[in-house]
Amino acid sequence: MAVFTQVSEFDARTLLADYTLGDFIALKGIAAGIENSNFFLTTTQGEFVLTLFEVLKAEQLPFYIELMHHLAAKAIPVPQPQTRRDGKRLSTLHGKPAAIVSKLPGSYEPKPNRTHCAIAGETLAKAHLAGLDFSIQQPNLRGLPWWETTAPTVMPFLDQNLAKLLQDTLAEQQGLAKSDDFKSLPRGPSHCDLFRDNVLFAGTPDHPVMGGFIDFYFAGVDTWIFDVAVSVNDWCIDHANGVFQPELLESWLAAYASIRPFTEAERRVWPAMLRGAALRFWISRLYDFYLPRPAQTLKPHDPGHFERILTQRTISASMALPKDS
């Protein structure tokens, strides 16, 4: 969501002419993230988010846009893509695909408690089930094939010990992908990037309510347990060292399982899936840190954070997934 491409007031007014969203009031860039150019867009009809897609191509975007539309129609709290006068939900601005979505209430919680974790876990399970009948199929573009392609480009920046950690974990994930357990895992449209800063809470700190899930532009069809692993690797840890905080993890997993119980195969692959989820973001952050793209407000994340998480998932036993009560 860093600002790679500037958008002027004239650009915004011109774009709004294709919609029925009222008249332009204000536009403000959002200085966070590393993939798209995002702006808060205010009109006489409300507040929206304008996104210019810097990496994804127009032919890739219907999955993300229509998935949000599908989930919103089923009362899952996600940004609602706005429909143009011609019935489409994608536009073009500065030669790049663009979309306008509704702005959800609330803000992200940097230090979630048990209640925040339970609300997030329950909502993710509902989103997984709501996406079962979504008709468009697109794999997680940052899944195993991307790890295999990208790992060699970041390997030269690692010392011998870290290179071995990356190689060993990648080999484990390649083996896992061929296993019968993996092939039996429940799967469907998944967020694949549900960090705490991609979830908004309204209400109060003591009584939070779900505002919604945002930033679906890493979503794809993947195993649901991978989506859970990505989430808890961010929500339920001590960020100083990557160690799980048991009370947060228990709350998150129990709430998810209350909506969609985990399978026996998911329980068996759980430790390896946590390592795979950590590997995915370690590789991504290594790539963005050492091989960055230019952006006016780009601030790459520290790759050492997911190195520590992966190390913890390698040396420490993980809390087992809850069983049906």
Side-chain angles (χ1 to χ4, degrees), residues 134-189:
F134 183 60
S135 61
I136 303 177
Q137 295 292 308
Q138 178 173 286
N140 173 8
L141 299 181
R142 291 292 179 95
L144 179 59
W146 185 84
W147 308 349
E148 293 171 324
T149 300
T150 309
T153 70
V154 301
M155 202 75 71
F157 300 102
L158 304 179
D159 65 27
Q160 184 176 358
N161 290 334
L162 293 183
K164 186 177 188 304
L165 176 64
L166 193 156
Q167 290 169 331
D168 289 351
T169 310
L170 182 58
E172 177 192 41
Q173 298 303 309
Q174 290 168 324
L176 176 64
K178 298 175 184 177
S179 70
D180 290 339
D181 272 345
F182 184 85
K183 294 172 185 176
S184 73
L185 296 174
R187 66 191 65 217

Side-chain angles (χ1 to χ4, degrees), residues 221-301:
V221 174
D222 207 325
T223 64
W224 287 338
I225 197 63
F226 175 79
D227 214 9
V228 173
V230 167
S231 303
V232 300
N233 268 345
D234 182 71
W235 282 82
C236 305
I237 65 170
D238 181 336
H239 269 237
N241 54 27
V243 174
F244 275 130
Q245 298 187 53
E247 70 281 2
L248 298 183
L249 184 59
E250 179 183 10
S251 182
W252 212 105
L253 294 175
Y256 181 96
S258 72
I259 302 299
R260 188 194 73 82
F262 296 109
T263 68
E264 289 300 324
E266 286 177 318
R267 294 189 186 94
R268 287 192 291 269
V269 305
W270 178 234
M273 198 61 71
L274 287 168
R275 289 189 287 274
L279 177 67
R280 176 265 185 263
F281 287 95
W282 187 32
I283 292 176
S284 180
R285 290 189 176 191
L286 285 168
Y287 185 85
D288 290 331
F289 188 84
Y290 289 110
L291 301 165
R293 297 183 306 277
Q296 293 183 3
T297 56
L298 181 61
K299 185 179 180 181
H301 294 293

